[in-house]
Amino acid sequence: MTVKRRNHGRSKKGRGHVKFIRCDNCSQACPKDKAIKRFNVRNMIEAAAKRDMAEASVYESYDVPKVYYKQQHCVACAIHSRIVRVRSRVNRRNRAPPSRFRKEFKKPTGAPTAAVKASA
């Protein structure tokens, strides 16, 4: 019989049975190893309100707390809400994680580094 995916769409590997979870979107029962899981980290306050809070706040610097939330979706909802995309037959074999977009931090340049070199 032909097989569409090497792992049959699951990450079970040797376990006989896996508990079911409920999809966050449609509440469909889905095996935990088959569900598409994403860990979501957001600020409690959006950017516009954050600026207003900073202006009205007594404290000079206040770190806004973050919301940590694990999303679990069934395959149908993950495809529908574009969390994962349908890939071609050739690209399905690619098991590497997608590239991550990270903010690049620039190193400070200028006088302070030159002064350190001169004193050494």
Side-chain angles (χ1 to χ4, degrees):
M1 190 170 106
T2 57
V3 176
K4 194 171 188 180
R5 287 174 187 83
R6 180 175 133 178
N7 61 359
H8 307 288
R10 302 181 69 158
S11 63
K12 195 163 57 105
K13 300 296 181 209
R15 297 180 218 15
H17 185 263
V18 178
K19 296 265 185 187
F20 278 66
I21 56 104
R22 292 292 183 159
C23 173
D24 286 343
N25 190 33
C26 67
S27 298
Q28 177 182 339
C30 177
K32 186 177 180 180
D33 62 324
K34 189 171 189 171
I36 286 88
K37 297 170 275 293
R38 295 290 182 266
F39 197 72
N40 202 347
V41 181
R42 286 187 178 170
N43 285 328
M44 275 191 179
I45 302 164
E46 65 273 3
K50 190 175 179 181
R51 191 184 72 238
D52 294 340
M53 265 188 66
E55 291 172 358
S57 178
V58 177
Y59 304 107
E60 289 182 20
S61 64
Y62 176 70
D63 291 334
V64 178
K66 294 182 184 283
V67 176
Y68 299 94
Y69 181 64
K70 186 172 185 179
Q71 294 178 319
Q72 297 176 325
H73 296 281
C74 65
V75 176
C77 288
I79 292 171
H80 181 72
S81 57
R82 298 190 186 110
I83 295 169
V84 291
R85 303 271 167 116
V86 176
R87 296 190 291 175
S88 68
R89 185 177 283 183
V90 176
N91 289 337
R92 267 183 226 144
R93 293 182 181 272
N94 179 12
R95 294 173 60 84
S99 59
R100 302 183 115 197
F101 298 104
R102 295 260 179 176
K103 293 179 184 176
E104 292 184 21
F105 295 104
K106 295 180 181 177
K107 293 181 181 177
T109 58
T113 55
V116 172
K117 288 179 183 176
S119 64

